[in-house]
Amino acid sequence: YRQFFQTTRDAVFITTPDGHWVDFNDALVELFGYPGRDEILRTPVTSVYEHPEDRVTFLEHVIRDGYVREYPVRLRKRDGLIFDALITIVPQKNPDGSVRSFIGTFRDVTERKKAIDALRESEERYRQFFRTTLDAVFITTRDGWFIDFNDALLEQLGTTDRAQAFATNVMDLYADRDERDAYIAKIKQ
């Protein structure tokens, strides 16, 4: 147990219900940017939350449900920097059923969240380009049925009816048999 506690890269902790640190690993010290264990031990647990009152609400869920897994929280480093994290936590109970302590982990997901946000922004730019470009842009199955297309394609087909366009096979749009065969050869590569 002690070896796992000390060597895992997740920030592992034990806290009291009233917000004092009982124990934690070096990954927690590193995560919050403290110079050492002693300073964290003197720091109230609520001070690592962006909004200290969030801990009360969060712990109500833990007590009610018996645990919380990968709950998103915003935390504060020693230097004040706010970051996104996931917390997993379970209560340790006394024989009378009252909560003695909470055992849990914090995992910094700031970089993952930034990557997801960047991907979302990139997808939105792609969608905007796809929908607004003046050129006909389309995606088809290998056998030529439309999966998606923009309004410029509808204009080229001479219709505003999307259902009609979906019922059209791109192969049927080629008047020249050689062009059609070249297109079929290209998509089969």
Side-chain angles (χ1 to χ4, degrees):
Y1 164 77
R2 176 57 53 187
Q3 186 176 5
F4 165 76
F5 193 86
Q6 290 302 324
T7 59
T8 182
R9 292 308 308 147
D10 285 336
V12 180
F13 61 87
I14 302 172
T15 62
T16 63
D18 62 347
H20 293 92
W21 300 101
V22 175
D23 199 2
F24 46 84
N25 64 0
D26 291 340
L28 186 128
V29 176
E30 184 181 318
L31 177 68
F32 288 106
Y34 282 87
R37 296 179 58 82
D38 292 342
E39 190 172 342
I40 293 178
L41 285 168
R42 292 189 303 270
T43 304
V45 173
T46 55
S47 69
V48 301
Y49 287 80
E50 178 183 30
H51 302 289
E53 63 277 7
D54 290 350
R55 183 175 187 264
V56 174
T57 306
F58 170 72
L59 290 181
E60 288 171 358
H61 292 286
V62 174
I63 293 167
R64 182 190 67 228
D65 299 337
Y67 72 97
V68 170
R69 184 169 180 250
E70 296 188 344
Y71 185 92
V73 292
R74 296 197 31 100
L75 301 174
R76 180 185 317 276
K77 292 184 181 273
R78 180 176 181 258
D79 65 5
L81 179 72
I82 303 298
F83 66 99
D84 295 295
L86 297 176
I87 183 172
T88 297
I89 192 169
V90 296
Q92 273 192 318
K93 296 194 175 182
N94 293 310
D96 67 0
S98 62
V99 175
R100 178 175 65 235
S101 61
F102 295 98
I103 299 174
T105 61
F106 290 120
R107 179 174 295 148
D108 185 348
V109 294
T110 304
E111 292 305 315
R112 180 169 62 176
K113 190 170 187 293
K114 284 180 185 176
I116 290 169
D117 289 346
L119 179 60
R120 190 174 294 121
E121 287 175 22
S122 174
E123 288 172 346
E124 183 55 33
R125 282 192 305 275
Y126 165 76
R127 272 191 291 282
Q128 285 292 86
F129 168 77
F130 186 86
R131 296 285 176 223
T132 61
T133 186
L134 299 176
D135 294 323
V137 179
F138 57 89
I139 302 169
T140 65
T141 61
R142 288 185 73 79
D143 56 352
W145 296 102
F146 290 111
I147 295 172
D148 199 4
F149 47 82
N150 65 357
D151 289 344
L153 178 73
L154 290 175
E155 190 175 312
Q156 284 189 3
L157 294 175
T159 184
T160 58
D161 184 358
R162 292 184 72 78
Q164 179 184 349
F166 277 117
T168 303
N169 190 295
V170 73
M171 311 290 185
D172 298 334
L173 300 177
Y174 285 96
D176 182 289
R177 180 119 178 117
D178 291 335
E179 263 186 49
R180 179 176 178 248
D181 291 345
Y183 174 77
I184 292 170
K186 187 152 191 92
I187 63 171
K188 288 188 176 179
Q189 290 180 352

